[in-house]
Amino acid sequence: MSSPVVTERSTAAWIARCLKARGVDRVFALCGGHIMPLWMRLDAEGIRIIDVRDERAAVYMAHAHAELTGQLGVALVTAGPGVTNAMTGIANAHVARASVLVMSGTPPRAQENRGALQDMVHTEFVRPLTRYARTVREPDLVMQELDEAIARAQGIGGEPGPVYIDFPVDTLRAEPSAAMQLPEWLAPRRKPRLQPDPVSVAEAVEVMWSARRPLVISGHGARGASAELIRLLDALGAVYLDTGESRGLVPESHPAVVAAMRGAVMTEADVVITLGRKLDFQLAYGSPAVFGDARFVRIADTPTELRDNRRGAAEVLGSVEAALEAILKAAADRVPAVDRAWAQKARAQHEQRSQKLLTSMQQAPAGSDGRMHPNRLLAALREALPADSVVVADGGDFLSFARVGLPTSTYLDPGSLGCIGVGTPFGVAASLALPGRTVVVATGDGAFGFNAMEIDTAARHKAPVLIVVANNGSWAIEVRDQQETHGKVVGTHLQYADHAAMARGFGLHAERVERAEDLPAAIAHALQNLPALLDVVVTPEAASSDAKSGLAWVPDLQALGAWDEAEERWRQTQGASA
């Protein structure tokens, strides 16, 4: 007996038409019986299905697609283990505030709660990780529930982030009543610009234009505000730090950029302006132990990026671009009090340190084992990659090297969840979304292993991505911590596996590179034969900044060892003076 026919009037068909009307041109998915009606109707509507090898990779790919295009990313996974497999991807999108719609199916309504195949209440699992989680059983309500889910994902009226919605398979096959399928459900929604309160704007101008050493830090919520941000930096004379969430908003050539002096300017600034950026562990939670007596100006369109950890001397709730426009208008021709000598010195030191880093990367010595330093690999990539390349960095130790060593205008990494393993899925999605640009995944061998099978997805869908695996045969940060703290290495060594041989088995161009002098030719050849993988053997003896900072041993009060010590001293001082 064959499964029932899924017609053009079915719920599944309406969902597919809605997604197409909302601009969805691809869905990242792994097939299964509970979603087959929707799967086939998506195809019928001309929506491309990028079929993957693991459901978490489907969500990772939807996440990357959303981040790079500004559109809704869509993942379709089957019931039961399909959903549980997807949960790590949902969790990462949750922390990253990525606009992702995850859809699934459930057993037919007549079999619910009877022990049917893959019968699970998915919404109970995913609700804490999503902005919206619903099971829709009534065919007549599917369209309005889907509309609400998409609005929540896009942050229309709240914080953007992943949403989850599933349907019993018989609901997908059913034909809803014509009266309930209103054309309005197909129309895309436009995210409104949230205008800031004029009183808050005036308060922000007073604090910012009175600052001697203003520091601007951007985050996720500042995307789309590049022009306004640059105008602010020019008018205020502030120095600027980006984060992985907002790389590329300000070009490296701008005189405000002082990324190489991050630690110094964080401690020296007297006013810190956050633009759509949480004060999380990467920014020492905004603690006075690191930022001293600095006052904060918080600007964001969502409360989670406005008032976490530190209150602002001024707090501006509004779309970042609208808030910056209002601030610049209110400041008008007012002359800022900035200490330009301080800002110029920070920029000069940044340039000196950046050049010194590049030179040291090019000359980095091999380890005592004779294997190349990972910075030699990164230096070779810097030479070969176009300026507008998309860089996806992944891993622990190697991510620390790549984050600093591969400057780029478009950048993705595991984010503040530390969700290593995203590299290959992110890279596949990026290369499909931006086919005219070079996409390179710079990943450690440990991180690559999480989703290595997605090289099969890259091959089947002809995704023009270059995957570069820094193969040091270990979980290097943990190995170093175990050696230094415990005097013994336990369960953190890997093989120097031949990843190139595996990639060739799946149809990719692949080479194993063991000598630094062979890198330029190997990279050039790989870029001409995408998708491709380079398996580059590097020494595990190289110590990244993250390996030295305390991230492995997890200090009590702060993420980094130096900050933790400063936090302890500050708390003791405050306690003594109380």
Side-chain angles (χ1 to χ4, degrees), residues 34-73:
H34 293 98
I35 56 172
M36 190 64 73
L38 183 50
W39 185 285
M40 300 310 297
R41 291 313 309 177
L42 290 170
D43 178 72
E45 288 294 331
I47 295 175
R48 183 179 179 184
I49 294 176
I50 309 298
D51 56 306
V52 301
R53 298 299 301 269
D54 186 278
E55 288 86 357
R56 63 183 161 167
V59 184
Y60 290 155
M61 291 183 191
H63 177 161
H65 181 84
E67 298 285 70
L68 293 171
T69 66
Q71 302 169 352
L72 181 71

Side-chain angles (χ1 to χ4, degrees), residues 212-224:
R212 295 283 292 160
R213 300 180 302 279
L215 165 64
V216 176
I217 305 176
S218 63
H220 181 275
R223 294 175 182 178

Side-chain angles (χ1 to χ4, degrees), residues 486-506:
H486 306 280
K488 183 180 181 182
V489 176
V490 181
T492 51
H493 278 146
L494 300 171
Q495 300 183 63
Y496 283 95
D498 192 341
H499 303 298
M502 179 179 69
R504 284 192 293 271
F506 283 99

Side-chain angles (χ1 to χ4, degrees), residues 365-395:
S368 63
D369 54 8
R371 298 184 176 101
M372 80 175 81
H373 194 288
N375 271 338
R376 294 293 297 275
L377 165 58
L378 294 172
L381 286 172
R382 283 180 68 146
E383 284 290 319
L385 296 178
D388 68 344
S389 295
V390 179
V391 170
V392 181
D394 192 13

